[in-house]
Amino acid sequence: MLTVKPISIIFNFLETFWEFVAFLYMESEFVRRRGVNLKKIALIMLVFLTLVGCSQKENDLVNVESSEKSAAETSSPTLLSDLANQEFSIKENQISAGNHDSIVTFGKAFVNLYTGAVAEQERVTFENYISNKNLLKFTDKVLDVEQKQNLKGGTGVTFGSDNTFNKTEFKKLDENLYYLSLTFSNQGSGMSCKLLVQSEDKALKIVDWYFGNKDGVDTAATGHPAVRKLDNPELWDDQQWVDHVFKKLEKYESELNT
């Protein structure tokens, strides 16, 4: 749709008005006989319309700044909500190498959702990414603790939802089980995320994940990168492992709060 700005209308009117004034002043015997000072009238009108135009321009600038501020305030939560509600499905019952692009997109969305939630201190849901109850509970808890740690400046990395992804490693481990490693950065801060992905009812799901940042909460709870392996899709069904991880997580949170 074509729109015309109010300030343009005003200047067009001024141009036409001046032409009209010049015509009257130069050509009208009626005006000259009565001594009407058209220049003075035109000047008054010009000042008035200029003031109106400036006021309109200031209002437009205020409205633009207000809109930009409003957009900035709502963009991040909206983006995180969109990521959280996104669904990733495949046509077959099991994933395969042919689903490479879908799995990479899925992994990147999870990374952006998690790191964006840390940066924005937002509560988000990972239910579209994780179905295992223990892993889902762990992810929610790690996010909560990492947000607290990030507020205190206790992390050596920069979190955000606008990550730049670099190297990708994609490997088949078993039928319906793939390993995905994503290297990415945010404002020059380099990170990585490793994922185990499989299909459940034709939907992609994470069965294990690990950022492994030096000061990361998941590192403290599940182990150093040298010993933390991602090759077991049933790891989070091992209640002994789960209990041990949550004890370490509780201890880490307690130390963080003191």
Side-chain angles (χ1 to χ4, degrees):
M1 180 179 295
L2 196 62
T3 58
V4 181
K5 295 182 179 179
I7 193 70
S8 299
I9 297 174
I10 292 172
F11 279 117
N12 289 336
F13 176 80
L14 282 175
E15 184 178 0
T16 303
F17 178 78
W18 272 112
E19 291 176 355
F20 178 71
V21 168
F23 171 78
L24 288 178
Y25 190 79
M26 297 297 295
E27 302 295 331
S28 176
E29 183 66 24
F30 173 80
V31 171
R32 284 199 293 271
R33 288 178 178 177
R34 284 158 180 73
V36 178
N37 194 332
L38 291 180
K39 283 187 175 180
K40 184 178 293 186
I41 294 174
L43 181 61
I44 293 172
M45 290 295 295
L46 175 62
V47 171
F48 172 75
L49 291 173
T50 301
L51 290 174
V52 172
C54 290
S55 176
Q56 179 65 46
K57 186 174 182 180
E58 289 178 359
N59 288 337
D60 289 344
L61 289 174
V62 169
N63 290 336
V64 168
E65 291 174 356
S66 177
S67 298
E68 289 178 347
K69 182 178 180 182
S70 177
E73 290 174 348
T74 59
S75 60
S76 293
T78 300
L79 172 61
L80 294 179
S81 177
D82 290 343
L83 287 171
N85 293 321
Q86 195 168 351
E87 296 182 351
F88 299 86
S89 60
I90 59 175
K91 295 180 179 180
E92 306 298 332
N93 292 324
Q94 293 186 338
I95 57 176
S96 64
N99 302 123
H100 172 272
D101 291 345
S102 297
I103 295 174
V104 172
T105 300
F106 173 68
K108 289 180 179 179
F110 171 76
V111 169
N112 285 334
L113 175 60
Y114 181 89
T115 58
V118 174
E120 299 298 330
Q121 298 292 311
E122 290 285 339
R123 298 291 300 174
V124 298
T125 176
F126 297 97
E127 291 183 356
N128 280 358
Y129 295 81
I130 300 169
S131 61
N132 184 284
K133 292 182 179 180
N134 287 332
L135 181 56
L136 186 59
K137 180 180 177 182
F138 172 76
T139 306
D140 290 338
K141 187 61 179 178
V142 170
L143 173 62
D144 178 56
V145 178
E146 193 127 54
Q147 286 174 332
K148 294 176 182 177
Q149 180 173 265
N150 197 47
L151 275 179
K152 293 186 175 183
T155 58
V157 296
T158 302
F159 291 98
S161 58
D162 54 343
N163 297 294
T164 299
F165 291 88
N166 305 308
K167 184 180 178 181
T168 299
E169 183 181 353
F170 184 76
K171 183 168 55 177
K172 179 179 180 179
L173 298 183
D174 203 346
E175 293 298 328
N176 197 38
L177 181 66
Y178 279 77
Y179 168 88
L180 176 66
S181 176
L182 298 169
T183 302
F184 59 98
S185 61
N186 196 300
Q187 300 180 37
S189 177
M191 290 177 273
S192 66
C193 180
K194 300 175 178 63
L195 304 166
L196 279 187
V197 182
Q198 66 181 19
S199 171
E200 297 178 10
D201 298 324
K202 297 185 178 181
L204 297 178
K205 297 294 180 181
I206 297 170
V207 293
D208 197 7
W209 63 264
Y210 183 67
F211 282 96
N213 296 324
K214 179 181 177 182
D215 301 313
V217 180
D218 65 319
T219 304
T222 65
H224 188 273
V227 297
R228 177 74 161 95
K229 306 298 181 183
L230 272 81
D231 56 10
N232 182 6
E234 298 178 356
L235 179 64
W236 290 93
D237 291 325
D238 183 343
Q239 198 58 47
Q240 185 176 353
W241 155 267
V242 172
D243 292 342
H244 176 68
V245 166
F246 273 95
K247 283 182 181 179
K248 294 180 70 174
L249 188 54
E250 290 172 5
K251 180 181 178 182
Y252 188 89
E253 183 179 23
S254 177
E255 293 173 351
L256 181 65
N257 291 332
T258 57

